[in-house]
Amino acid sequence: MDQKPLVSTVSEQTRTLADVLHLVRLGSARTRPEISRQSGLARNVVADRVDHLIQAGLLAEGELGASTGGRAPRELRFRADAGHILVAEIGATMCEVGVADLSGHLVSTMEAPVDVKEGPDLTLDHVSSLLDGLLKNLSDVSVWGVGIGIPGPVEWATGKPVAPPIMPGWDGFDVRGFFESRYRCAVWVDNDVNAMATGEVRAGVAQGHQDIIYVKVGTGIGSGLFSRGQIHRGAQGAAGDIGHLAVGTRTDVVCRCGNTGCLEALAGGAALVRDAKDLAQDQRSTHLRSALEAERPLDVALIVEAALFGDPVAIDMLSQSALVVGEALAGMVSMFNPSVIVVGGRVGRSLDLYLATIRRAVLARSLPLATRSLLIITSPLGDRAGLIGLAFTVIDELLSPEMLSQWLEEGTPTALKDWTQEG
């Protein structure tokens, strides 16, 4: 089911309710006087909006705040426990699922293998069963929304994947409708790297930055972009698909998208695994060659392990991957001028050497002005960035003025019948 259009006209009261709620939930203002100063709203308007939000169960009175000469003001707190969000980040071979409260905090998570090549029905049935398992272990959980991240291009308006290279059978599949029918609530679907970028901006190392690039180097390669503090998805949702930039002249390596010379086909995790079997026969190889002779499964984890044990062939492979990724990012830096690049993914976070090689390549190939204060870093959020980002994506949508105008008087977003498939 396509997501229905939002009401285009929002009352001034609803907009100011959303503004007040936004200030409190982000910790920018904790008392009524602080809200009035930061929002520019009159004190009587702030008092009315706060009372409305308390009655709706979104705000609650807290402790007394510091006095500035008169009566100490009562602090306010956001009711993060009022509802919960289900989130699932689906990768090519692994899936992470979680339950988050309305502050974006993950209260429960689980990881399990998946194979997106099995098609959407089997994969999403499995994801749904994992989410159900988390819900069974939690009490008093009211599901307000669902956020799904998938490893391919997503049309944001419909939540449908569009010709995803590594996901046969998924083109045009109604991922949103699948989860709406099961959980009877609003669902948002996004590219997995957009979700990771959002997680870093809202709760990771990119907090406070307005213009960022998040690049994931895993089985494939993708990026998420934030411009002036807002995620940049492009006209249809395909922005940031760095993995299919043409970066080489090799015509013997065909990418999963059908083209040759793609960054992903030359430097991604699948490319490393593809090349490792032959390269491991090099007499310089130690750990990698021994592991393959012992018939251990060849995957990215084994290549990284070999590099950590000092295998020169594995180190060369990862260094070359980082160099190619860095050169591709250099072009993006000169064009986009971010203040920070966050590198993630199993390959991207594999070695300090990987990050250092990317840094050198970007600094060598980008314009000096664009790199004057550029940070290139990894994040301690790691694999949780995507789940956190999906939670914030859903929360921000549900608490936007447009959405609040549709459900606030009804009590919770679960009352939105127009957003739920019947049946």
Side-chain angles (χ1 to χ4, degrees):
M1 182 179 73
D2 288 356
Q3 200 156 331
K4 296 189 184 330
L6 293 172
V7 175
S8 58
T9 302
V10 177
S11 70
E12 185 62 23
Q13 180 183 21
T14 302
R15 290 197 180 279
T16 52
L17 278 168
D19 289 343
V20 170
L21 181 60
H22 182 77
L23 288 170
V24 176
R25 76 183 182 96
L26 296 188
S28 301
R30 291 184 172 86
T31 65
R32 290 168 177 83
E34 287 179 353
I35 295 170
S36 183
R37 285 193 296 270
Q38 294 205 36
S39 67
L41 296 172
R43 290 199 172 197
N44 65 317
V45 174
V46 169
D48 177 77
R49 302 302 184 262
V50 168
D51 288 346
H52 195 152
L53 291 167
I54 290 174
Q55 292 173 15
L58 292 173
L59 295 183
E61 300 275 12
E63 302 295 327
L64 287 175
S67 172
T68 58
R71 182 166 43 168
R74 181 72 63 178
E75 290 192 343
L76 300 163
R77 65 177 180 85
F78 175 56
R79 288 280 312 280
D81 59 347
H84 289 80
I85 309 300
L86 300 183
V87 288
E89 184 189 350
I90 304 168
T93 58
M94 295 296 295
C95 174
E96 282 197 283
V97 299
V99 180
D101 65 19
L102 298 183
S103 71
H105 171 69
L106 295 170
V107 298
S108 182
T109 63
M110 179 187 299
E111 184 180 64
V114 296
D115 184 358
V116 295
K117 294 178 181 177
E118 291 183 341
D121 289 300
L122 286 176
T123 302
L124 298 183
D125 271 334
H126 182 49
V127 171
S128 183
S129 68
L130 294 174
L131 290 169
D132 291 343
L134 292 182
L135 289 174
K136 287 179 182 177
N137 295 325
L138 299 171
S139 59
D140 299 324
V141 172
S142 174
V143 178
W144 279 23
V146 178
I148 306 295
I150 63 173
V154 176
E155 186 178 45
W156 174 249
T158 65
K160 296 178 181 179
V162 179
I166 66 171
M167 305 172 72
W170 288 72
D171 184 29
F173 187 84
D174 189 4
V175 178
R176 174 179 293 150
F178 182 97
F179 286 99
E180 283 179 340
S181 67
R182 281 160 172 73
Y183 297 106
R184 299 295 195 271
C185 61
V187 178
W188 283 268
V189 186
D190 205 351
N191 172 267
D192 60 346
V193 189
N194 282 343
M196 294 172 193
T198 302
E200 295 295 349
V201 168
R202 297 300 298 274
V205 293
Q207 288 183 84
H209 290 269
Q210 295 290 301
D211 300 283
I212 81 152
I213 296 174
Y214 179 95
V215 58
K216 174 190 175 184
V217 188
T219 302
I221 299 176
S223 73
L225 310 175
F226 266 75
S227 176
R228 297 185 178 182
Q230 301 295 320
I231 192 164
H232 177 71
R233 293 190 175 90
Q236 276 77 42
D241 202 352
I242 186 178
H244 300 288
L245 289 178
V247 297
T249 58
R250 289 185 61 180
T251 59
D252 60 322
V253 179
V254 179
C255 181
R256 288 176 288 190
C257 72
N259 292 320
T260 60
C262 292
L263 174 63
E264 181 176 301
L266 299 178
L272 292 173
V273 172
R274 178 197 65 216
D275 296 339
K277 191 169 185 179
D278 291 336
L279 293 173
Q281 304 310 311
D282 190 312
Q283 291 303 307
R284 296 180 304 133
S285 179
T286 54
H287 189 88
L288 186 58
R289 180 157 51 91
S290 298
L292 293 181
E293 288 174 352
E295 298 185 346
R296 288 184 57 188
L298 176 56
D299 54 19
V300 168
L302 180 56
I303 296 170
V304 172
E305 176 188 301
L308 291 172
F309 274 90
D311 187 307
V313 170
I315 291 173
D316 285 350
M317 291 176 65
L318 288 169
S319 297
Q320 182 59 31
S321 167
L323 177 63
V324 177
V325 171
E327 290 178 345
L329 284 172
M332 294 185 70
V333 166
S334 294
M335 178 187 68
F336 185 63
N337 191 200
S339 61
V340 61
I341 296 175
V342 184
V343 181
R346 287 183 298 168
V347 178
R349 300 195 313 271
S350 60
L351 301 172
D352 290 342
L353 174 65
Y354 199 95
L355 185 65
T357 303
I358 287 178
R359 281 195 185 117
R360 286 197 299 271
V362 170
L363 293 174
R365 298 294 297 269
S366 300
L367 295 171
L369 180 58
T371 58
R372 178 182 293 173
S373 58
L374 176 65
L375 297 175
I376 304 176
I377 50 181
T378 57
S379 168
L381 283 183
D383 294 335
R384 292 179 299 134
L387 293 182
I388 293 170
L390 288 165
F392 275 112
T393 296
V394 176
I395 294 163
D396 290 345
E397 292 286 343
L398 287 174
L399 301 183
S400 68
E402 292 78 11
M403 283 293 289
L404 280 175
S405 69
Q406 296 190 45
W407 67 261
L408 189 59
E409 300 308 319
E410 302 297 327
T412 71
T414 57
L416 286 171
K417 300 302 182 184
D418 285 347
W419 288 81
T420 307
Q421 280 188 343
E422 302 294 335

